[in-house]
Amino acid sequence: MNVHILEMPLDYGGRRHGSDMGPSAIRLAGLREKIESLGHNVFVNKKGFNIVAQEYADAGSNPKAKYLDAIVDACTDLAREVEAVSDTGDFPLVLGGDHSIALGTLAGLSASYKKSGKKLGVLYVDAHGDFNTAETSSTGNIHGECMAASAGYGLERLVNLYYEGRKVDPKNICYVGIRDLDPGEKKLMHEAGVTVFTISDIDRMGFSEIIKKVKVFFKTHCDTVHISFDMDSLDPSIAPGTGVPVPGGLSYREALLLMEDMSSLGMVRSMEIVEVNPILDVRNDTAAMAVALAARILGEKLF
């Protein structure tokens, strides 16, 4: 398979900055070498994205959607690149940056799959829902509004990014690892009809049973799957280098098992890995974990 690595060093969307260095950390952890060892062809977007450093960017006048203009511009550029890769049938692997980049990734994928009539599903692995709107957000950080906007809720400029309208049907969104939701976004997620498997669900049913349900979900809801993996879905003990750590996350083995089983589904055609923050990391362990996750999606097995 041809794998296109798109490095998106955008960290306007979050509270703690430093995730703009995440793509470099993942690259230095040996991503390309690992993917090539699996027999894939790797292409890197060497021209990159023209993003002004956060300290020089204008946060804008809306405290409920900070850096709105800058995020819309950057994610529109990302959408264009993702669409071009997806149109060829190749695999876009997007490296963040904070989770606001999902706006661009999903816009590009959706634009591509509209041409072929394929139904897009999203596996969102995250401690958070990112389903706030400007009305419900307590921080105004757009990384917490990106999934709601992609599903058609929130500010028009986010909902209509790249092209008008929602980018994914909320009925085709499945969350795994949720353990920290704001009251407003929880209510909206129920109303929208997304499927959620929380950490408590994992404890009650066991992770193998959750994975079975996730695979059935995608087989019955869509034609192709995008995985959006936030490193804060992992327990901070194994992934300290992330901006919004929440105790009680997925274990090392659970995360790799989920990726391996999703790979076996044969429907995953794109992935993004976000919220690696080297400033907060220890020995680049979180970036190395990101490499391991990508490898499992792209076919690596223990035996």
Side-chain angles (χ1 to χ4, degrees):
M1 183 162 54
N2 294 327
V3 179
H4 293 250
I5 299 175
L6 304 174
E7 296 187 9
M8 189 60 174
L10 180 71
D11 76 340
Y12 301 150
R15 174 175 60 88
R16 303 179 73 175
H17 298 289
S19 60
D20 58 329
M21 296 182 283
S24 295
I26 299 171
R27 180 181 355 109
L28 293 172
L31 178 66
R32 179 170 191 161
E33 295 79 3
K34 171 60 76 172
I35 296 173
E36 288 178 337
S37 75
L38 298 172
H40 302 299
N41 302 311
V42 178
F43 301 88
V44 179
N45 179 17
K46 294 181 180 178
K47 68 178 183 180
F49 297 94
N50 186 23
I51 299 173
V52 177
Q54 180 271 334
E55 58 266 29
Y56 302 121
D58 183 1
S61 59
N62 187 350
K64 289 293 188 179
K66 300 171 185 174
Y67 300 98
L68 177 62
D69 290 343
I71 289 172
V72 168
D73 289 346
C75 286
T76 297
D77 289 343
L78 175 59
R80 192 176 295 112
E81 294 294 330
V82 169
E83 180 184 14
V85 173
S86 183
D87 281 350
T88 66
D90 292 348
F91 191 104
L93 176 57
V94 183
L95 308 180
D98 67 64
H99 221 153
S100 64
I101 72 167
L103 290 159
T105 305
L106 290 175
L109 292 172
S110 179
S112 178
Y113 292 132
K114 277 181 176 292
K115 301 169 191 174
S116 58
K118 291 182 179 178
K119 190 180 297 183
L120 173 65
V122 178
L123 174 62
Y124 209 77
V125 189
D126 202 323
H128 309 91
D130 297 344
F131 222 83
N132 275 299
T133 65
E135 286 71 34
T136 64
S137 174
S138 61
T139 65
N141 295 327
I142 290 178
H143 73 167
E145 302 175 21
C146 59
M147 205 58 202
S150 297
Y153 302 92
L155 292 174
E156 286 188 8
R157 290 195 62 200
L158 297 180
V159 172
N160 296 326
L161 187 144
Y162 198 52
Y163 72 85
E164 188 172 343
R166 73 183 185 188
K167 307 309 184 286
V168 59
D169 187 336
K171 301 294 193 299
N172 298 333
I173 299 170
C174 180
Y175 285 85
V176 171
I178 291 290
R179 57 191 187 278
D180 185 13
L181 295 176
D182 295 326
E185 72 173 333
K186 184 188 298 187
K187 180 180 178 182
L188 184 56
M189 290 169 75
H190 279 290
E191 293 174 357
V194 300
T195 295
V196 177
F197 295 106
T198 68
I199 285 294
S200 293
D201 293 325
I202 292 171
D203 290 340
R204 290 189 191 99
M205 291 185 274
F207 202 54
S208 293
E209 185 62 26
I210 294 294
I211 291 178
K212 289 178 185 177
K213 290 180 179 295
V214 170
K215 293 171 74 173
V216 169
F217 174 89
F218 287 115
K219 285 180 180 178
T220 56
H221 281 73
C222 59
D223 304 308
T224 187
V225 179
H226 169 66
I227 295 180
S228 189
F229 200 105
D230 191 318
M231 296 304 287
D232 71 22
S233 64
L234 304 172
D235 192 80
S237 64
I238 61 169
T242 188
V244 193
V246 183
L250 297 176
S251 71
Y252 184 89
R253 294 191 304 184
E254 287 170 336
L256 293 179
L257 177 62
L258 177 60
M259 295 299 98
E260 190 171 316
D261 274 28
M262 287 302 298
S263 177
S264 71
L265 191 62
M267 298 174 67
V268 178
R269 297 302 307 165
S270 57
M271 184 180 190
E272 65 190 344
I273 303 175
V274 302
E275 301 285 2
V276 172
N277 190 328
I279 294 175
L280 305 172
D281 207 1
V282 178
R283 298 184 302 273
N284 214 29
D285 285 351
T286 306
M289 182 65 184
V291 172
L293 293 166
R296 291 298 175 94
I297 277 295
L298 292 169
E300 184 179 55
K301 296 182 179 178
L302 291 178
F303 184 73

